[in-house]
Amino acid sequence: MDLLVVGSGFFGLTIAERAASAGKKVVVIDRRNHIGGNAYSEAEPETGIEVHRYGAHLFHTSNETVWEYANRFTEFTSYVHKVYSNFKGEVYPLPINLGTINQFFRSAYSPDEARALIAEQAGEFDTKSAQNLEEKGISLIGRPLYEAFIRDYTSKQWQTPTTELPAEIISRLPVRYTYDNRYFNDTHEGLPVNGYTAWLEKMADHPNIEVRLNTDFFDESQPLNKAAVAGKVPVVYTGPVDRYFDYAEGELGWRTLDFEQQVLPVGDFQGTSVMNYAGEDVPYTRIHEFRHFHPERDYPTDKTVIMHEYSRFAKREDEPYYPVNTPEDRERLLKYRALTEQESGVLFGGRLGTYQYLDMHMAIGSALSMWNNKLEGTL
Ligand code: FAD
Ligand code: UDP
């Protein structure tokens, strides 16, 4: 073995694929019973509808290198993501655009009229000197829209009042003075034609790659554990960085999600793939309906799969999903970064290994850079 990769998410698989294609023997271990990390998806058995087990995953990128690389393993559909928000029993388009503004204010403003109105409603706070998320939000979109679509949704997601959250979380809230309600601005967007798992399996499908599932790097009863491999084989580690160092500098904060999946005896539950729920009166943040991600597929017309999503702080035994990133977390992270730099023979990557929110295209892009800059030629 020339390289051990801990974690079979997009980061780990990209490293493994590059190394294997360069003629290196790679073993990938994952503690889960499936490949692919959080991008894993599977067919719901009763309906055959593809469900993203760890929450809806939409692929989008403006990075040509990543797009070309991804297309080696899968084709993409022409799916364009759009999100709607249910506020007090009425459905509005997101991100906030001229359609949202005109519906909310029961008006027919032109782009310039809407701009002038929002500027007037946003005058209460200055964007540059905003002290917290609430002030920043109001300074960008005005108080009425902020209170309707952002305040309660954000506090449900973070379990923290918006006046106590850092302003950077919404550093740029998109507001469009057109009726364009595409959720993403990227050049390329789509879903893998045969599903995420087929894409991920294709990346791992190389004679030089061996994948071992149900294998935890910290489990000393399995031969490729941390202590056993130390100094013997180069390691790319994509698990949580605090766990690697046995929480020596304390635990980093994460949010986790709870998903409640249901099969319903109707052909179509909500007419779209993602419906956000803006208000605090509803405990979940959004409902996903997976059939709408693939309108081109031949799914049953009398059944559908939906998933309610709830958000909360993660405990140690929960799946870590989103870095909370409080000032204390950032201080701890700096200490962990110093430790990672001293750890010879081990490179830390991916969302968990760097304590960073990375979209799939970012995880792939940063793995390609790690391969090019730190691994190619050294293995
Ligand atoms: P992961 O996918 O988390 O993979 C890490 C792997 O390491 C896991 O399989 C884990 O089991 C394994 N591991 C951890 N510890 C150990 C250990 N001790 N031993 C062995 N294995 C271990 N991105 C988008 O581009 N679009 C989206 O719409 C989108 N939606 C998302 C929604 C949610 C709810 C979440 C959580 C993420 C979303 N993402 C989205 C981000 C996407 O999931 C990540 O970019 C991608 O998963 C990053 O891959 P990774 O390899 O860094 O990490
Ligand atoms: N957001 C919001 N209302 C919405 C959707 C998003 O206030 O209806 C805010 C919220 O603070 C959230 C952030 O925008 O944390 C990013 O939302 P997005 O849906 O892009 O992120 P995801 O949760 O899918 O990563």
Side-chain angles (χ1 to χ4, degrees):
M1 184 198 341
D2 300 305
L3 178 67
L4 173 65
V5 175
V6 180
S8 66
F10 268 116
F11 193 97
L13 286 182
T14 302
I15 295 284
E17 188 282 329
R18 290 290 72 208
S21 295
K24 306 297 170 190
K25 297 269 183 214
V26 187
V27 176
V28 181
I29 62 169
D30 204 297
R31 66 175 174 182
R32 289 179 177 166
N33 62 2
H34 62 75
I35 195 176
N38 287 343
Y40 175 76
S41 70
E42 63 200 334
E44 190 286 321
E46 198 180 327
T47 58
I49 294 174
E50 181 183 348
V51 169
H52 305 170
R53 192 193 281 183
Y54 302 94
H57 274 64
L58 293 316
F59 188 74
H60 54 96
T61 185
S62 296
N63 182 325
E64 294 300 331
T65 307
V66 170
W67 180 242
E68 184 279 318
Y69 182 73
N71 276 271
R72 293 184 201 176
F73 309 101
T74 179
E75 287 182 307
F76 288 89
T77 66
S78 54
Y79 178 83
V80 171
H81 195 45
K82 295 193 173 159
V83 177
Y84 294 83
S85 180
N86 182 323
F87 170 67
K88 293 199 171 154
E90 197 173 331
V91 174
Y92 296 82
L94 287 182
I96 291 166
N97 66 77
L98 197 48
T100 328
I101 295 170
N102 275 330
Q103 186 181 348
F104 190 78
F105 294 110
R106 309 250 165 226
S107 55
Y109 294 125
S110 68
D112 283 345
E113 287 167 343
R115 259 191 208 98
L117 175 80
I118 300 302
E120 190 189 311
Q121 294 183 343
E124 201 180 324
F125 295 106
D126 179 35
T127 303
K128 285 201 195 79
S129 54
Q131 296 296 311
N132 55 51
L133 190 146
E134 173 143 320
E135 293 184 10
K136 182 102 172 217
I138 293 172
S139 78
L140 291 166
I141 57 170
R143 186 179 278 277
L145 289 169
Y146 166 79
E147 286 186 352
F149 296 106
I150 309 297
R151 185 188 59 194
D152 296 354
Y153 185 91
T154 302
S155 28
K156 271 198 289 192
Q157 270 201 329
W158 296 89
Q159 279 93 55
T160 308
T162 46
T163 45
E164 290 167 27
L165 285 169
E168 305 90 71
I169 293 185
I170 46 163
S171 45
R172 202 194 139 272
L173 253 188
V175 190
R176 296 200 192 120
Y177 294 98
T178 66
Y179 290 93
D180 174 11
N181 71 323
R182 276 184 84 136
Y183 205 64
F184 302 117
N185 285 322
D186 282 318
T187 327
H188 305 290
E189 178 177 354
L191 291 171
V193 169
N194 297 318
Y196 279 99
T197 296
W199 172 7
L200 294 152
E201 280 173 349
K202 186 96 186 278
M203 290 179 79
D205 182 18
H206 193 288
N208 288 344
I209 299 180
E210 182 197 337
V211 178
R212 295 189 196 173
L213 300 175
N214 302 305
T215 305
D216 192 317
F217 190 51
F218 303 106
D219 173 4
E220 295 194 352
S221 71
Q222 65 86 12
L224 296 177
N225 67 73
K226 181 183 171 195
V229 301
K232 299 200 180 84
V233 62
V235 175
V236 171
Y237 174 82
T238 73
V241 62
D242 52 357
R243 171 68 187 93
Y244 182 94
F245 294 104
D246 223 1
Y247 307 102
E249 302 294 349
E251 282 182 54
L252 294 166
W254 293 90
R255 277 195 303 123
T256 192
L257 302 174
D258 296 315
F259 297 113
E260 246 174 52
Q261 190 177 308
Q262 284 169 284
V263 176
L264 299 180
V266 293
D268 195 348
F269 171 74
Q270 62 184 16
T272 194
S273 45
V274 179
M275 180 71 67
N276 289 359
Y277 282 78
E280 259 179 341
D281 49 329
V282 179
Y284 40 86
T285 48
R286 48 191 169 183
I287 300 180
H288 308 271
E289 186 174 11
F290 288 98
R291 66 179 309 117
H292 293 293
F293 288 125
H294 289 283
E296 79 285 1
R297 287 188 188 164
D298 199 12
Y299 283 148
T301 51
D302 58 346
K303 284 180 186 158
T304 196
V305 183
I306 64 164
M307 200 160 86
H308 288 74
E309 179 177 317
Y310 302 79
S311 177
R312 61 179 170 83
F313 282 116
K315 297 194 223 61
R316 200 179 273 194
E317 62 278 12
D318 291 321
E319 288 292 346
Y321 283 139
Y322 295 97
V324 178
N325 243 328
T326 60
E328 296 77 46
D329 286 324
R330 285 198 288 268
E331 249 173 62
R332 283 197 183 115
L333 179 61
L334 290 179
K335 294 183 185 155
Y336 280 120
R337 279 208 190 125
L339 290 175
T340 62
E341 275 152 28
Q342 289 158 22
E343 195 71 2
S344 78
V346 183
L347 291 173
F348 294 78
R351 217 169 40 92
L352 304 166
T354 57
Y355 190 67
Q356 260 185 308
Y357 182 81
L358 298 176
D359 270 330
M360 292 176 279
H361 67 280
M362 296 154 91
I364 295 170
S366 88
L368 290 173
S369 310
M370 179 186 275
W371 169 254
N372 290 334
N373 301 326
K374 297 197 172 151
L375 283 166
E376 193 180 18
T378 68
L379 287 183

